[in-house]
Amino acid sequence: MINYMFYTLVSLGCSFLVYSCFLKRQKTFQFNRVFLLATLVLCMASPLMKVELFDAVPSITQISLHTDQDIPVVHENLEGVTVLEVEKPSYSMTTAVWYAYILISLCFSFRFVKNLIDILKRSKHHYDSFGPFKLIETDTKNASSFFNYLFVNSESLNDEHYVRSMIQHELVHYKQGHTIDVLLMEALLCLFWFNPLIWLYRRAVVQNHEFIADNYTIKSGIDLEDYAHLIINSGRMEHRVPLTSGFNFIQIKNRIIMLHQSKSSILKRTLTTTTALLLFSGIFMLSSFKDSKKPLVVIVDAAHGGVDSGHLNEKDIVLKISNELMKFSDNTVKLITLRSEDKFFSLNERVKFINAQNPDLMISLHCNSAPDAAAKGLEVFYYDNEKTNKESLKYGMSLINQQLPKNFDNAKMKTAGFKILKDIKCPGVLLELGFLSNPEDKAKLNNHQFQQEIAKALYEGLAKASKIKL
């Protein structure tokens, strides 16, 4: 989520800068409308897209803006062996932020729905037909439209000049579907209220609507100077009905300047629009294209199997988790299973297979057992040697950080000289996924949904760890 917020902020900021520098002062109003809406939608979607490109193009979506080392770790020496004991935090800042986001989004959504309901209530009132419009009496002097509903004060209809200009202006809003743009912007604000660029886009879109309507109104035969004075006078009126397009939109100065501004030559307009498109194309490419980075290759060793059942039904549990994990194999993390069925492999055979594959990492899945039935939680082991210990520790901590918030209350990371860890030529971790001797852990480990959750968390931990550089 943090990455997505950052990428959209950068891409929207660059796109809005292009609009402000090249298009805002040009009378290419229809192109500006398309540019604003298209760049908004594409910039919101681009971080979610992954398009392969050559290695020379840097990948914005490959940048990690936060590390996984966010859970407190206590270092302890236990009989000469280093143990990292990780306790699940009593509160999560991430959770608090999510609750705050949901609460504020609900407030914006409530306001949006309330305004829609208010318009629907007004539309049920008695109305008079005026051309394509349904005229609905309102207590404000500010005329505004919502699709073909025109909210207007009956007193203002006594001014023939005002009525002619206002009707022509609102007719443009109706025919060009400006209400749809307004609804789109309001809906996006409910979800992305935290992004200041959305607010700037919203203002620019509404302002451009007024430029379009003003331009067509003058073309219809309304006198330019009289219309300009009408806009100035209308600025003193009250605010319009929410979600509507209003004749006296408050950006008076900008509207007057744009009305009197001469239209640029065809060549200049072509150059500015082409430049804007080329710049945005570059922005879109950098925010959505990714390089052809090789995936993290991981061997998944489902322990035991065949005649070796392990603790109770350990061989079946870890095999099910392994098979669920294999479903996540993709271009980020390429997963290779050591066994996909109930088959026995000796330790020598496992080590030989792993070294033959030359993976980036090996993870061995186990279930624990202890004489004390109260023992529970996750244990992760790695072999402490100079060549692979840093990599093994990195992957192990990433897997713990993904598992703890979701599936376990505590975890320990230990060094061990297990053959499956010591004899392989790549980094490796051995995971004891809970204690079958503990009733609570046993019940969870035999639950299919919990097995799926463990597999998903394992993949997410591997994917995050693959982006962290030591």
Side-chain angles (χ1 to χ4, degrees):
M1 182 63 177
I2 295 176
N3 289 358
Y4 178 79
M5 290 168 58
F6 173 77
Y7 303 141
T8 53
L9 189 65
V10 171
S11 57
L12 280 174
C14 292
S15 300
F16 192 79
L17 184 63
V18 170
Y19 168 76
S20 299
C21 294
F22 294 95
L23 300 175
K24 186 177 179 179
R25 295 174 180 81
Q26 296 295 321
K27 303 187 77 168
T28 52
F29 303 131
Q30 296 294 356
F31 177 83
N32 292 0
R33 180 190 181 190
V34 174
F35 182 88
L36 285 169
L37 294 175
T39 56
L40 177 62
V41 173
L42 289 174
C43 285
M44 300 302 289
S46 62
L48 306 176
M49 301 178 183
K50 292 183 178 181
V51 183
E52 295 288 346
L53 195 63
F54 47 85
D55 292 340
V57 177
S59 172
I60 189 171
T61 55
Q62 294 293 331
I63 301 173
S64 180
L65 300 179
H66 55 87
T67 68
D68 293 310
Q69 310 297 329
D70 53 5
I71 294 180
V73 178
V74 178
H75 296 262
E76 176 186 358
N77 286 324
L78 182 63
E79 297 180 356
V81 179
T82 300
V83 180
L84 307 183
E85 187 166 357
V86 187
E87 295 292 339
K88 188 174 183 178
S90 58
Y91 67 92
S92 171
M93 182 59 70
T94 302
T95 302
V97 171
W98 270 109
Y99 280 134
Y101 165 77
I102 293 172
L103 179 62
I104 298 174
S105 295
L106 287 174
C107 290
F108 276 94
S109 300
F110 175 77
R111 186 198 66 165
F112 182 36
V113 173
K114 180 178 178 296
N115 289 334
L116 281 175
I117 293 174
D118 180 56
I119 289 179
L120 290 175
K121 287 181 178 179
R122 290 172 182 263
S123 66
K124 292 180 179 179
H125 294 170
H126 172 74
Y127 63 84
D128 296 320
S129 296
F130 191 95
F133 286 115
K134 297 177 180 178
L135 271 62
I136 297 176
E137 175 74 18
T138 182
D139 53 356
T140 64
K141 295 182 180 180
N142 186 355
S144 57
S145 61
F146 183 84
F147 292 109
N148 66 329
Y149 289 98
L150 182 60
F151 302 96
V152 63
N153 188 289
S154 57
E155 294 181 7
S156 63
L157 297 179
N158 296 327
D159 187 339
E160 183 178 346
H161 177 57
Y162 172 78
V163 171
R164 182 186 172 198
S165 300
M166 178 269 294
I167 292 294
Q168 184 60 43
H169 182 99
E170 297 301 329
L171 191 61
V172 177
H173 287 313
Y174 163 59
K175 287 185 175 180
Q176 299 207 5
H178 291 171
T179 302
I180 297 174
D181 299 356
V182 173
L183 292 175
L184 172 63
M185 296 306 304
E186 291 295 326
L188 287 174
L189 275 177
C190 293
L191 297 174
F192 304 103
W193 50 265
F194 54 83
N195 192 329
L197 274 306
I198 298 292
W199 295 89
L200 292 177
Y201 261 87
R202 176 196 185 212
R203 184 180 182 86
V205 167
V206 175
Q207 185 180 73
N208 190 64
H209 286 171
E210 300 309 312
F211 291 160
I212 293 173
D214 290 342
N215 186 52
Y216 276 92
T217 301
I218 294 301
K219 286 183 177 180
S220 70
I222 303 294
D223 182 74
L224 175 60
E225 296 304 324
D226 290 342
Y227 186 73
H229 285 297
L230 194 63
I231 291 176
I232 295 172
N233 293 331
S234 67
R236 304 190 186 98
M237 299 180 184
E238 297 92 340
H239 188 65
R240 66 180 185 274
V241 176
L243 302 182
T244 59
S245 300
F247 173 73
N248 53 323
F249 180 71
I250 298 303
Q251 292 291 330
I252 297 174
K253 180 181 177 181
N254 292 334
R255 289 174 68 183
I256 298 300
I257 292 174
M258 196 59 71
L259 279 173
H260 289 84
Q261 182 173 301
S262 300
K263 198 170 186 178
S264 304
S265 65
I266 295 177
L267 177 60
K268 185 176 180 179
R269 278 179 285 157
T270 303
L271 287 175
T272 53
T273 54
T274 302
T275 302
L277 286 174
L278 289 175
L279 287 172
F280 174 71
S281 297
I283 295 168
F284 179 74
M285 288 173 62
L286 289 175
S287 59
S288 62
F289 278 42
K290 72 180 186 73
D291 58 24
S292 55
K293 180 182 178 181
K294 293 181 179 179
L296 177 72
V297 179
V298 181
I299 298 289
V300 182
D301 169 35
H304 309 289
V307 295
D308 180 10
S309 60
H311 304 297
L312 301 177
N313 61 332
E314 179 183 2
K315 67 171 184 177
D316 299 321
I317 293 173
V318 295
L319 179 60
K320 291 176 181 178
I321 294 174
S322 174
N323 289 338
E324 290 294 333
L325 178 58
M326 293 305 299
K327 297 176 182 179
F328 292 97
S329 183
D330 57 17
N331 292 330
T332 301
V333 181
K334 180 181 179 182
L335 298 166
I336 301 173
T337 183
L338 198 147
R339 71 179 182 97
S340 58
E341 56 186 3
D342 186 16
K343 187 175 180 180
F344 174 76
F345 292 96
S346 68
L347 285 175
N348 286 330
E349 289 175 321
R350 293 172 190 267
V351 169
K352 184 177 180 180
F353 175 83
I354 293 167
N355 290 333
Q357 299 296 322
N358 191 28
D360 299 306
L361 174 70
M362 184 280 305
I363 59 173
S364 185
L365 306 181
H366 293 254
C367 296
N368 219 334
S369 181
D372 183 5
K376 60 185 295 189
L378 176 69
E379 290 189 342
V380 179
F381 295 86
Y382 72 102
Y383 181 59
D384 188 10
N385 66 348
E386 294 182 0
K387 185 177 180 181
T388 62
N389 62 347
K390 288 185 178 180
E391 284 285 310
S392 300
L393 179 61
K394 177 189 76 171
Y395 289 118
M397 287 305 303
S398 183
L399 293 173
I400 285 177
N401 285 339
Q402 286 300 119
Q403 292 287 349
L404 269 187
K406 301 176 182 179
N407 303 317
F408 297 98
D409 296 323
N410 61 80
K412 293 180 181 180
M413 190 155 189
K414 304 178 180 180
T415 57
F418 300 135
K419 183 178 180 64
I420 195 70
L421 297 176
K422 184 173 63 175
D423 290 356
I424 59 175
K425 298 177 182 179
C426 65
V429 292
L430 185 149
L431 293 92
E432 295 281 4
L433 300 167
F435 285 72
L436 289 173
S437 53
N438 178 275
E440 184 180 344
D441 277 5
K442 180 181 178 181
K444 291 195 295 185
L445 286 168
N446 282 284
N447 182 276
H448 181 62
Q449 183 177 350
F450 184 75
Q451 294 167 358
Q452 291 177 319
E453 291 172 356
I454 289 180
K456 183 180 179 182
L458 286 173
Y459 169 79
E460 291 172 349
L462 293 171
K464 287 189 175 182
S466 69
K467 299 176 183 178
I468 300 174
K469 294 184 179 180
L470 293 177

